[in-house]
Amino acid sequence: MSFALETPVIVSPEGERKLIVDIPSRLGANQQECSIQADVLTECDLRGHHSHGLQRLPVLATRIKKGLIRVYINPAYTWAADLVLSVDGKDGLGTVVAFAFVAATRFMGGQRFVLPRTEMIPTPSWP
């Protein structure tokens, strides 16, 4: 069965989340990485930001396959000063690295952070 490109396909948030968990899992990502990625991509679609939702999954999968994004990693966090946390994302999924980073720095308030060696730059409104 084939669909024209203009034919919308409706998927429940649960179905989308399950698909998003399945793909990185098959590419070696652990359950935590899959779950965080699925939560973020599904939420983006629910908020109408489709370019950062399910549409992003093929790009992420290709980057994982090519080794541009590494899975099953443990980012390195080092406090360089009282208010400076240095993060080495080790080329991991940006959402995974950022979630742990934001949790570690939540007490700092509305600061902007740059996460080297990840795929993203979060801002104070994220996540």
Side-chain angles (χ1 to χ4, degrees), residues 2-47:
S2 65
F3 293 98
L5 291 177
E6 297 83 31
T7 304
V9 177
I10 307 298
V11 179
S12 70
E14 296 79 20
E16 179 176 336
R17 190 176 189 292
K18 184 178 178 188
L19 173 68
I20 296 169
V21 165
D22 186 55
I23 302 298
S25 174
R26 291 175 187 240
L27 296 171
N30 64 39
Q31 186 57 41
Q32 180 185 22
E33 290 170 319
C34 293
S35 180
I36 290 171
Q37 196 65 50
D39 287 346
V40 171
L41 295 182
T42 301
E43 186 65 27
C44 287
D45 275 333
L46 290 171
R47 292 182 183 213

Side-chain angles (χ1 to χ4, degrees), residues 41-124:
L41 295 182
T42 301
E43 186 65 27
C44 287
D45 275 333
L46 290 171
R47 292 182 183 213
H49 303 290
H50 305 294
S51 63
H52 284 71
L54 187 58
Q55 290 179 8
R56 191 144 178 76
L57 188 58
V59 173
L60 293 172
T62 299
R63 289 180 179 174
I64 292 169
K65 286 179 186 177
K66 289 183 175 182
L68 300 172
I69 296 175
R70 295 175 54 215
V71 293
Y72 220 90
I73 56 106
N74 290 312
Y77 303 97
T78 306
W79 286 99
D82 288 344
L83 294 176
V84 178
L85 180 61
S86 175
V87 179
D88 180 354
K90 298 184 180 177
D91 301 324
L93 289 161
T95 52
V96 175
V97 175
F99 261 72
F101 178 73
V102 169
T105 60
R106 195 164 293 280
F107 70 91
M108 293 174 63
Q111 303 295 320
R112 289 188 180 265
F113 309 110
V114 176
L115 302 175
R117 293 185 59 196
T118 67
E119 60 172 315
M120 66 185 309
I121 300 174
T123 60

